[in-house]
């Protein structure tokens, strides 16, 4: 019976039959190189290297991508089982040759040259690296990237949202955001800012009586708002009330300070909060695992040092009825 073979198989065999192409593929199996770098490794004219790369690319052995004005080549990762077996046979034959050993030494020189170029830059740029990076990528690139660690299924409540800056920042990374504030001017600015985000709902209400359903959110954020609240214990209790079990409260605010002008000029009610104060507020609301950390000072900031405090609702939560939340002197009831 007459056997037939598909033409692509012979083409791929032909591509590997040339020792230069096999050497090139051996190098590109582990390294991604430009034509000029591969020319340096194989010690061949650029035109010759380019011709061999075209054959390997056309027969499916190589993948390439643009990098600036150059193009980087590497052995494709999409080989089928037959191609992998074929390459294994050729690699076993070529890898033990003197030419392959020379190629391996020269490719290490290429890699080292890349490394030394980077090290040379950093040795002269260390003193201005922060400024250079900020000019290239902005001052918030690190924080914005870290937001990808947020759970995409979370529902987040931003209590005291102000103009909606924090809500706008986190909305692309979570399921939905409920932005709450009791200032009509702030809410107008927030609605304008957040209008294009279909997973953000802006609601009017105070931190002491949040218009959010009981046990309905995964995270509560209170950013630079607690020092405006007359009764911070009620605000923290409300945050605990709307958290699901396992949910977390994050408060960012000022550490204790003696800046009297902030009281008179900016309407602050409190001169910051100490670690002990925050721990007491959180624990009274049934939140556990409280952590309080001072935040690094921003050299351009003129205000007091900030802190970040986090606590988790495990089982116990303070719940108040609607009537109780409307009454200034209503007692608090603990419910499991």
């Amino acid at each position: 019976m007459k056997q037939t073979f598909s033409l692509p198989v012979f083409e791929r065999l032909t591509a590997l039959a040339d020792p230069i192409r096999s050497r090139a593929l051996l190098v590109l199996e582990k390294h991604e190189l430009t034509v000029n770098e591969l020319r340096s490794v194989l010690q061949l004219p650029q035109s010759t290297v380019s011709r061999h790369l075209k054959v390997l690319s056309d027969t499916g052995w190589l993948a390439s991508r643009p990098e600036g004005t150059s193009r980087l080549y590497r052995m494709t990762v999409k080989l089928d089982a037959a191609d992998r077996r074929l390459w294994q046979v050729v690699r076993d034959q070529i890898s033990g040759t003197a030419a392959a050993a020379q190629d391996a030494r020269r490719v290490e020189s290429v890699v080292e040259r890349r490394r030394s170029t980077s090290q040379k830059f950093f040795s002269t740029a260390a003193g201005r690296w922060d400024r250079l990076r900020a000019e290239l990528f902005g001052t918030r690139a690190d924080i914005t990237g870290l937001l990808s660690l947020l759970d995409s299924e979370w529902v987040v409540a931003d209590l005291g949202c102000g103009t909606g800056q924090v809500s706008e920042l986190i909305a692309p990374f979570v399921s939905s955001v409920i932005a709450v504030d009791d200032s009509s001017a702030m809410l107008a600015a927030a609605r304008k800012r957040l209008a294009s985000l279909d997973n953000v709902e802006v609601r009017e209400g105070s931190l002491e009586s949040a218009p959010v359903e009981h046990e309905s959110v995964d995270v509560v954020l209170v950013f630079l708002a607690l020092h405006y609240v007359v009764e911070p214990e009620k605000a923290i209790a409300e945050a605990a009330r709307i958290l699901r079990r396992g949910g977390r409260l994050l408060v960012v605010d000022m550490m204790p300070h003696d800046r009297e002008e902030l009281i008179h000029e900016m309407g602050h009610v409190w001169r910051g909060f100490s670690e002990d104060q925050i721990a007491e507020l959180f624990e009274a609301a049934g939140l556990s695992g409280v952590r309080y950390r001072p935040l690094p000072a921003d050299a351009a900031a003129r205000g007091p040092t900030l802190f970040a405090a986090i606590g988790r609702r495990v089982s116990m939560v303070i719940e108040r009825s609607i009537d109780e939340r409307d009454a200034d002197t209503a007692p608090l009831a603990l419910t499991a």
Side-chain angles (χ1 to χ4, degrees):
M1 186 171 68
K2 183 178 179 180
Q3 286 185 299
T4 60
F5 300 91
S6 62
L7 185 59
V9 171
F10 285 111
E11 289 179 348
R12 294 163 91 80
L13 282 168
T14 301
L16 296 184
D18 188 290
I20 293 176
R21 289 196 285 271
S22 295
R23 285 169 53 200
L25 198 57
L26 185 66
V27 171
L28 296 174
E29 184 181 25
K30 295 182 178 179
H31 302 278
E32 190 178 38
L33 303 177
T34 65
V35 173
N36 193 50
E37 287 172 332
L38 191 58
R39 179 203 61 76
S40 177
V41 171
L42 299 177
Q43 297 288 286
L44 293 169
Q46 183 169 326
S47 58
T48 302
V49 172
S50 296
R51 185 175 70 253
H52 286 302
L53 288 178
K54 185 177 187 309
V55 173
L56 289 170
S57 298
D58 289 346
T59 51
W61 289 105
L62 289 184
S64 66
R65 64 180 180 87
E67 179 69 20
T69 58
S70 301
R71 194 161 196 88
L72 290 166
Y73 293 84
R74 186 157 194 172
M75 185 176 182
T76 183
V77 297
K78 298 181 179 180
L79 296 178
D80 60 26
D83 288 335
R84 286 196 296 271
R85 290 195 299 271
L86 176 58
W87 169 238
Q88 182 66 53
V89 172
V90 175
R91 181 174 55 186
D92 289 346
Q93 292 293 318
I94 197 72
S95 60
T97 65
Q102 294 275 5
D103 295 341
R105 285 191 288 270
R106 282 192 287 263
V107 80
E108 287 304 318
S109 297
V110 169
V111 173
E112 181 58 34
R113 191 156 56 242
R114 285 184 184 175
R115 187 180 297 115
S116 63
T117 299
S118 294
Q119 289 175 344
K120 181 180 179 181
F121 167 76
F122 285 113
S123 67
T124 60
R128 54 195 175 94
W129 173 238
D130 289 346
R131 177 180 59 80
L132 289 172
R133 190 168 62 171
E135 290 174 355
L136 284 172
F137 309 114
T139 57
R140 304 177 71 184
D142 294 341
I143 298 300
T144 304
L146 289 172
L147 290 175
S148 295
L149 293 171
L150 298 177
D151 193 316
S152 61
E153 296 183 356
W154 276 351
V155 176
V156 178
D158 181 10
L159 303 186
C161 67
T163 61
Q165 182 180 15
V166 173
S167 293
E168 179 185 38
L169 188 63
I170 66 171
F173 302 93
V174 298
S175 175
S176 62
V177 178
I178 303 169
V180 177
D181 207 282
D182 61 358
S183 165
S184 57
M186 290 291 189
L187 285 172
R191 287 192 174 98
K192 182 178 180 180
R193 180 180 212 146
L194 303 170
S196 63
L197 298 170
D198 57 10
N199 67 333
V200 180
E201 181 182 354
V202 179
R203 300 179 185 178
E204 183 174 1
S206 67
L207 271 71
E208 300 98 317
S209 183
V212 182
E213 294 75 15
H214 180 61
E215 293 187 344
S216 61
V217 304
D218 301 286
V219 176
V220 175
L221 306 176
V222 182
F223 273 48
L224 300 177
L226 197 62
H227 59 267
Y228 284 109
V229 178
V230 176
E231 297 179 286
E233 66 277 6
K234 288 187 177 180
I236 300 302
E238 276 293 88
R241 178 187 67 81
I242 68 176
L243 277 174
R244 297 186 176 117
R245 295 193 180 192
R248 298 181 181 185
L249 166 64
L250 172 61
V251 172
V252 174
D253 216 291
M254 300 177 298
M255 297 181 70
H257 65 86
D258 57 2
R259 300 276 294 275
E260 192 71 24
E261 75 275 11
L262 297 179
I263 302 294
H264 301 297
E265 296 175 9
M266 298 191 66
H268 292 186
V269 177
W270 301 96
R271 294 180 177 86
F273 300 91
S274 68
E275 184 173 359
D276 288 342
Q277 287 174 301
I278 290 295
E280 184 177 345
L281 290 171
F282 278 40
E283 289 167 5
L287 300 173
S288 63
V290 182
R291 290 184 295 160
Y292 179 106
R293 295 286 186 273
L295 297 179
D298 187 330
R302 297 183 293 110
T305 301
L306 301 179
F307 71 86
I310 192 167
R312 173 179 288 183
R313 182 196 163 189
V314 178
S315 59
M316 193 71 73
V317 64
I318 292 181
E319 181 183 0
R320 293 180 291 156
S321 68
I322 294 176
D323 291 338
E324 287 173 333
R325 280 184 271 139
D326 288 341
D328 291 337
T329 59
L332 299 181
L334 282 176
T335 62

